[in-house]
Amino acid sequence: MKKPDVFQGSVAVAETARDKASYSGFLAGLFETDVRWDLLTSIGIPQTSPPALDFLERFKLALVPLDPEQVDSEGELPEPVLKTLAELGAFGIKIPRTFGGLEFTQYEYQKVATLCGSLDASLTVLLSAAQSIGVPEPLRLFGTEAQKAKYLPRLARGEISGFALTERHVGCDISKVETYAVRATENGKTTGYRLTGDKFFITNSARQDGEFLSSMLVVIARIVDRPEELQDPQAQKRYGAFIVETHWPGCSVTRLRFEGVRGIYNGAPSFTSVYVPRENLLGGEEDGLRIALATLTVGRLTLPAACLGGLKQCLSVMRWWGRTRVQWNKPIGEHNLIGEKFCRAAAYTLALEAVMAFCGAWAKKKGDLRLESAAAKIIGSEWYWEVVNDLFQVRGGRGFMTVESQRKSGETGIPVMRMLRDARINLVWEGTSEILRIWMAREALSPYIEQGLALLQGTISQRLAAPLYYARMALRSCLPFSNPLRTSGMFGKDYGKWVRYIESTSRRLTRSTLAATLRHRQSLHHKQLLLQDLVDDGLALFPMAAIIWYASQPEMRARPGIRELADYFCQEMMERLNSSSSAARRIRRGRKDASVYCLSKMIMSGEYAWLEEGIAPLLEK
């Protein structure tokens, strides 16, 4: 009797689209007691090339006329600014020079996103969607030379593009896409496709109702021979990725409006029997979901880079206000309940900068960043939301005032409410925090799941090998690393204790993962709260490893206070990872008062001003 499939329905479709390559990144190893320190010791902080530095300076000057408050009130980005950015090449940052682009590295592109993220979210989204998840990225990854030669020069000159995946009833469950493409054949050969369907929440699609902003979109659609196949549960599901030029007959669009990021050109494009020539199919007829997942993997790195800009801006404002505002005869930053917020902002800023530097360096080596990009997106969006909320609290009633009202009152206009409204969506788009945690659990635990499937459905040799894998994991998770003296000193003696802690916690995480797998077996993927806890351990250990690597690099060691701040962050992550009694926690909190007081005074004195580099500051200090 045939055993039932573990994965069914849309989950089974998603399984077929998974990248089956084994994970060789840092995060995956944590779940198998394999802390891959070599990934960190083999790289340094990426250097920014002179052309990129020059571009950043000119880009920053081009943003001077941009008034984010005007963008927020009018819901539009000014055309003169967009024209200037196009002339600078800002829409072709990652496009190869042979096609007219700037061909900057991922790390250099992240620098641009950080600068944008410190000033205006709408502009950040426009530029990001145009090249991180718009046509250039999937075209670079999967396009033919003919496709690249046709479209990349146009995009490098400033034509705007987008990525049309989501639909009104389809968010993260991308296998449920209902937009379809009917094959058009001639003499038995496919010559093109007739595309029909409605997309929703598509960034850069609509300038206004009835008018596209983007000149082209990558559209994910199900490929069928006739529309009736959509209702047939037995019909084979194939998904394609199509480059669709929005001026083609049958394309229309409606603009959507939002409570935050109000200058975003988001829309609901519709396609009615739009003819797409065969040569505009990216990859093959079964590659659509794989292309979507691969595109989003790389594109997600832009969002945490932009969140880094927001964190730097928050830290800058907190530092100014913490020493300017005096209550009970001393600056508010010297009150520890406020000072702790300053410490958190500075620690998150340093940690996220370290994570982005690692991702930028590893992207240059074409390393495996599938889990790391999702982790960066989760922690970047959640940390920024936490800190901008802290900024609101620190500003008190002024945080609730409009910028205009602050200025009329003779005060400096700080747009905390706009920053709050703009920051909240980061936890939702490009994969919600919840969905990404589920996905990370499925991917990080894939070796355990695959061995479990082999035990249930594999050959005799596979069934015999599976228990050996679990036994090996059990043994590794109970034994210390082979050369603890070597590993603990690889980043210098100052960080040895954190190296040892990461290794011991990885062993504990492996034991927890093994226990969960053996207990729940094929039902493990339904235990979402349990999986979230496992993933959250990885989300704490990954930035800990990144920050000690970053702080130990030659160019960072001389930065004032970096060791103290790295220690503070690692201590905070350890607190989250270690559950303990309330009495023990109170003792630690008592000891923490002294460290918070000293660190917050260092922040207010400007010792950490170097953390605010790379932004368009709101304040002149």
Side-chain angles (χ1 to χ4, degrees):
M1 183 177 177
K2 183 182 177 182
K3 295 181 175 65
D5 291 333
V6 173
F7 301 111
Q8 300 176 347
S10 61
V11 178
V13 175
E15 282 292 308
T16 63
R18 285 183 62 240
D19 187 341
K20 302 301 191 299
S22 298
Y23 280 87
S24 58
F26 185 85
L27 258 165
L30 295 175
F31 293 84
E32 294 185 285
T33 315
D34 181 15
V35 184
R36 295 164 181 163
W37 293 119
D38 57 299
L39 300 185
L40 293 165
T41 57
S42 65
I43 58 174
I45 300 172
Q47 299 300 305
T48 306
S49 65
L53 289 172
D54 177 65
F55 173 82
L56 282 165
E57 286 301 314
R58 290 185 291 121
F59 186 85
K60 193 172 182 178
L61 287 174
L63 297 183
V64 170
L66 182 66
D67 181 0
E69 296 308 308
Q70 182 180 355
V71 173
D72 185 64
S73 63
E74 296 180 359
E76 305 288 341
L77 287 162
E79 284 295 330
V81 172
L82 298 183
K83 182 180 178 182
T84 301
L85 294 180
E87 291 170 352
L88 286 176
F91 291 94
I93 292 174
K94 296 170 68 178
I95 293 175
R97 281 187 287 272
T98 53
F99 297 109
L102 300 177
E103 201 173 345
F104 290 163
T105 65
Q106 175 66 31
Y107 183 70
E108 290 166 343
Y109 171 59
Q110 288 169 191
K111 291 280 189 182
V112 178
T114 297
L115 175 57
C116 277
S118 72
L119 181 65
D120 184 77
S122 298
L123 178 64
T124 308
V125 171
L126 176 75
L127 291 175
S128 169
Q131 48 206 330
S132 287
I133 59 170
V135 173
E137 190 62 24
L139 191 55
R140 183 182 68 84
L141 294 172
F142 299 97
T144 65
E145 290 305 310
Q147 289 170 335
K148 292 175 183 177
K150 180 178 181 180
Y151 287 113
L152 287 180
R154 289 170 52 183
L155 293 161
R157 289 193 296 267
E159 287 192 40
I160 295 172
S161 66
F163 191 77
L165 171 62
T166 55
E167 299 179 2
R168 191 176 296 274
H169 302 296
V170 180
C172 297
D173 187 2
I174 61 179
S175 63
K176 294 288 189 180
V177 164
E178 295 179 352
T179 298
Y180 62 91
V182 179
R183 296 183 185 89
T185 60
E186 187 175 317
N187 298 325
K189 292 185 178 181
T190 301
T191 57
Y193 304 84
R194 289 287 177 183
L195 189 70
T196 299
D198 302 309
K199 295 293 184 178
F200 202 63
F201 289 147
I202 307 305
T203 306
N204 287 0
S205 60
R207 185 185 300 274
Q208 59 187 7
D209 288 354
E211 181 184 355
F212 279 95
L213 175 72
S214 53
S215 62
M216 62 190 83
L217 297 168
V218 171
V219 181
I220 304 298
R222 184 176 170 185
I223 297 175
V224 296
D225 287 315
R226 59 188 191 283
E228 291 74 22
E229 288 181 30
L230 296 172
Q231 310 305 321
D232 182 3
Q234 304 302 319
Q236 187 172 5
K237 291 188 175 183
R238 292 189 177 93
Y239 298 87
F242 302 88
I243 300 176
V244 177
E245 300 204 38
T246 56
H247 65 84
W248 289 345
C251 296
S252 60
V253 70
T254 301
R255 186 169 176 182
L256 305 176
R257 300 283 184 173
F258 302 99
E259 293 293 347
V261 199
R262 288 178 171 172
I264 186 177
Y265 295 99
N266 192 291
S270 296
F271 309 97
T272 306
S273 196
V274 177
Y275 181 75
V276 183
R278 174 69 178 79
E279 55 268 25
N280 275 44
L281 174 67
L282 283 169
E285 288 193 346
E286 297 185 354
D287 292 335
L289 297 188
R290 184 168 66 90
I291 290 172
L293 291 171
T295 300
L296 291 171
T297 293
V298 179
R300 284 194 185 105
L301 288 174
T302 309
L303 194 146
C307 289
L308 177 59
L311 281 171
K312 287 172 175 279
Q313 194 71 269
C314 288
L315 179 61
S316 175
V317 174
M318 281 181 172
R319 181 164 69 88
W320 161 73
W321 188 241
R323 66 175 188 269
T324 301
R325 178 69 166 169
V326 175
Q327 293 288 281
W328 290 309
N329 301 318
K330 61 181 178 180
I332 60 171
E334 294 184 19
H335 296 284
N336 271 9
L337 289 180
I338 300 298
E340 186 181 30
K341 300 181 193 306
F342 295 1
C343 296
R344 179 162 48 239
Y348 283 172
T349 301
L350 178 60
L352 188 56
E353 193 160 65
V355 166
M356 298 316 298
F358 168 80
C359 290
W362 205 237
K364 189 174 182 179
K365 294 186 71 170
K366 302 188 185 305
D368 185 0
L369 282 169
R370 288 170 290 173
L371 287 173
E372 286 72 16
S373 66
K377 191 273 179 183
I378 292 172
I379 61 178
S381 60
E382 292 182 352
W383 288 354
Y384 179 38
W385 172 247
E386 187 176 352
V387 169
V388 78
N389 194 53
D390 281 345
L391 175 60
F392 183 99
Q393 194 70 20
V394 169
R395 285 284 286 166
R398 290 168 174 81
F400 206 50
M401 293 174 69
T402 65
V403 168
E404 181 184 12
S405 184
Q406 291 176 64
R407 288 171 178 165
K408 284 182 178 179
S409 301
E411 303 204 356
T412 303
I414 305 296
V416 179
M417 276 306 301
R418 175 172 60 79
M419 293 168 73
L420 269 172
R421 286 190 284 106
D422 290 351
R424 186 59 184 84
I425 191 60
N426 292 331
L427 282 75
V428 173
W429 56 21
E430 293 193 33
T432 67
S433 295
E434 293 79 9
I435 287 294
L436 284 180
R437 280 182 166 87
I438 294 171
W439 177 83
M440 284 184 67
R442 171 63 185 94
E443 299 305 298
L445 274 60
S446 59
Y448 295 89
I449 294 171
E450 287 160 9
Q451 293 298 328
L453 290 173
L455 196 62
L456 291 170
Q457 302 173 350
T459 63
I460 293 177
S461 62
Q462 288 173 331
R463 292 181 183 182
L464 292 174
L468 294 177
Y469 170 82
Y470 292 130
R472 187 168 67 253
M473 287 300 106
L475 182 63
R476 287 172 60 175
S477 68
C478 294
L479 295 176
F481 283 71
S482 59
N483 193 347
L485 291 178
R486 181 189 67 82
T487 57
S488 64
M490 66 177 63
F491 301 113
K493 62 180 182 180
D494 289 335
Y495 303 111
K497 66 176 181 179
W498 299 121
V499 170
R500 294 190 295 273
Y501 178 78
I502 290 169
E503 291 180 343
S504 64
T505 308
S506 174
R507 292 195 294 272
R508 188 179 71 193
L509 177 57
T510 300
R511 290 194 296 272
S512 299
T513 303
L514 183 60
T517 304
L518 294 176
R519 179 180 180 183
H520 299 290
R521 290 169 288 182
Q522 61 262 44
S523 66
L524 179 62
H525 64 289
H526 294 304
K527 305 296 181 181
Q528 293 183 358
L529 298 178
L530 170 61
L531 293 174
Q532 175 180 253
D533 285 345
L534 295 175
V535 169
D536 282 348
D537 282 4
L539 291 176
L541 293 175
F542 171 45
M544 283 180 73
I547 203 171
I548 61 177
W549 160 76
Y550 188 70
S552 67
Q553 294 303 298
E555 59 266 53
M556 298 304 298
R557 287 176 192 157
R559 295 284 195 173
I562 191 167
R563 183 178 62 79
E564 291 84 353
L565 192 56
D567 276 344
Y568 182 88
F569 174 81
C570 290
Q571 189 73 38
E572 286 293 293
M573 293 300 103
M574 187 176 73
E575 287 279 335
R576 295 186 185 186
L577 288 162
N578 293 348
S579 58
S580 59
S581 68
S582 58
R585 186 173 184 273
R586 281 195 294 271
I587 292 172
R588 287 197 299 272
R589 295 291 287 179
R591 294 171 182 164
K592 188 178 177 181
D593 260 302
S595 62
V596 165
Y597 183 78
C598 293
L599 193 57
S600 61
K601 287 200 74 172
M602 291 168 66
I603 291 169
M604 288 190 297
S605 70
E607 194 158 343
Y608 291 101
W610 51 270
L611 275 174
E612 300 162 22
E613 294 172 358
I615 65 172
L618 290 171
L619 303 160
E620 293 296 332
K621 297 178 182 176

